[in-house]
Amino acid sequence: MEGGELPGLLVNEIGGICGILHSHVAFLRKHFYLITMKELLENRKHLSRKVQAIYLWWHKPVIDRELLQSLPNLKVIANSGVGMDHLDLKLVASFGVKMANAPRAVCSSTADAGMALLLASARRLVEVHHIAISSSMDYCEADILGVKVSGATLGIIGMGRIGYKIALRAKAFEMKILYHNRTQRKAQEEQAVGATYCEKIDSLLQQADFVMVAVSLTPQTRNLIGKRELELMKPTATLVNISRGAVVDQEALVMALQTGVIWAAALDVTYPEPLPRDHPLLKLKNVIITPHLGIKTDKTTYMITEEAVENILAALNGLPMPSEVLPS
């Protein structure tokens, strides 16, 4: 089947674990001639020159030098999310290929997921759910007590778009909000959510009842939360990670949870994903783990695809890309 005048868009697959969603296909086909990796590999001679853009869904297809060299007309790569740590940005740029992420689409759903994890951990929802459905359930023990969220102190590490959305939600729960960021927010932005800037991360860790990590994974943020940082936290504190698994030293986290250095953890991200089935984090009662669900709602995923299409079409038409990412 020939693609006509539509530009070729390479995707990993349609459906499956790492494929674009079936519900997005009709929308994408209005703008592009879709080519899957399987089709490209089976007919590289005919299809490689047709590919002008790549849409990454769940980090697939893998972008390496071999693939870039095989696509002479590639102009742009759009990512289905914010984090770009799975891409060698300098390598991609060296081929004259532009890159974009989807920051606008993901913020609200990721912030929702962060607050959901915070609340579920604070009120021990997973643990008490299993008690409630147990065949031997007569009553809930009187000492199955959670942590009061209203009035507690939330420390947000990374006050970008997602971090700020978290602060908006935390304000509604009447939480005291601290934040640490590379740059301080404007005074009116701080006042709108009642947030206080902590220039040093140590100050935030020492004060917070809940620490929520919402940074991008970079060489500077890898293992940002390690043994030293965990030991600065209160023994009653909870760590919530919605950024990337490698931002937290997981061995140090396991030890901190096992020895009472901190009270609990709630993780939407791990390293690797999924964890090996014998990993100690999977055996701890004071841990909640979800399989990277931050963006996974029907509306959000569709908005991500819309944002990707907007960026790709802008690049192909020589216009500024709304969410262009440049190599640092």
Side-chain angles (χ1 to χ4, degrees):
M1 176 180 176
E2 294 295 323
E5 297 299 318
L6 292 177
L9 177 66
L10 179 64
V11 298
N12 192 55
E13 60 182 333
I14 297 173
I17 296 174
C18 296
I20 59 171
L21 301 180
H22 286 287
S23 56
H24 299 187
V25 170
F27 173 66
L28 288 168
R29 282 184 171 151
K30 289 180 181 178
H31 303 280
F32 308 107
Y33 172 44
L34 293 186
I35 301 168
T36 66
M37 276 299 294
K38 183 174 184 291
E39 291 168 338
L40 177 67
L41 295 174
E42 290 175 348
N43 194 4
R44 190 186 293 270
K45 183 177 179 181
H46 176 63
L47 293 176
S48 61
R49 291 188 176 276
K50 290 184 177 292
V51 175
Q52 295 185 50
I54 300 175
Y55 182 28
L56 298 180
W57 190 262
W58 217 241
H59 302 179
K60 303 291 184 179
V62 174
I63 306 298
D64 55 22
R65 184 177 296 276
E66 181 183 1
L67 181 62
L68 292 168
Q69 287 175 335
S70 71
L71 303 173
N73 295 317
L74 180 64
K75 303 291 192 303
V76 58
I77 297 172
N79 185 50
S80 60
V82 176
M84 303 288 276
D85 49 281
H86 54 291
L87 282 174
D88 185 335
L89 302 184
K90 291 182 179 178
L91 173 66
V92 175
S94 73
F95 282 83
V97 175
K98 294 187 174 184
M99 295 161 285
N101 60 1
R104 290 174 291 154
V106 306
C107 295
S108 290
S109 286
T110 306
D112 289 347
M115 288 304 297
L117 282 168
L118 185 155
L119 292 166
S121 179
R123 300 307 300 269
R124 301 170 67 172
L125 294 187
V126 174
E127 184 181 353
V128 298
H129 165 74
H130 288 297
I131 292 172
I133 65 173
S134 169
S135 59
S136 61
M137 169 67 178
D138 287 325
Y139 59 90
C140 187
E141 297 288 343
D143 62 353
I144 302 292
L145 301 176
V147 176
K148 190 170 183 284
V149 172
S150 178
T153 298
L154 171 63
I156 302 171
I157 300 176
M159 194 66 140
R161 297 188 190 200
I162 293 171
Y164 197 76
K165 292 276 190 180
I166 292 164
L168 286 168
R169 286 153 177 74
K171 181 185 179 185
F173 280 90
E174 300 174 346
M175 301 185 80
K176 178 183 177 183
I177 301 166
L178 307 175
Y179 77 98
H180 173 73
N181 202 46
R182 287 176 297 178
T183 56
Q184 185 172 358
R185 284 269 184 172
K186 295 177 181 178
Q188 57 266 37
E189 293 174 332
E190 291 181 335
Q191 292 165 7
V193 294
T196 300
Y197 180 60
C198 294
E199 184 178 357
K200 302 294 185 183
I201 194 173
D202 291 9
S203 176
L204 179 149
L205 294 170
Q206 291 167 336
Q207 297 179 69
D209 299 302
F210 298 90
V211 174
M212 192 167 313
V213 185
V215 298
S216 299
L217 177 60
T218 66
Q220 292 73 35
T221 61
R222 185 175 294 273
N223 288 334
L224 178 67
I225 305 299
K227 182 176 184 290
R228 187 190 76 87
E229 289 73 26
L230 290 164
E231 289 177 349
L232 287 173
M233 293 171 61
K234 298 178 180 179
T236 54
T238 297
L239 177 70
V240 183
N241 188 9
I242 57 170
S243 57
R244 287 290 187 267
V247 171
V248 175
D249 180 338
Q250 287 183 165
E251 290 186 11
L253 178 61
V254 169
M255 185 63 65
L257 290 163
Q258 288 175 334
T259 59
V261 171
I262 64 172
W263 188 70
L267 314 172
D268 190 42
V269 289
T270 58
Y271 184 77
E273 292 177 358
L275 288 172
R277 296 298 86 186
D278 61 349
H279 196 282
L281 275 176
L282 303 180
K283 299 175 173 61
L284 297 175
K285 285 187 176 181
N286 55 344
V287 178
I288 294 175
I289 299 177
T290 51
H292 209 144
L293 294 178
I295 65 170
K296 290 189 176 179
T297 72
D298 52 354
K299 290 184 179 179
T300 299
T301 52
Y302 199 85
M303 288 168 59
I304 288 170
T305 294
E306 289 179 322
E307 191 168 353
V309 168
E310 182 183 3
N311 279 293
I312 292 170
L313 292 178
L316 296 183
N317 288 294
L319 300 172
M321 294 164 57
S323 308
E324 183 172 5
V325 176
L326 299 172
S328 56

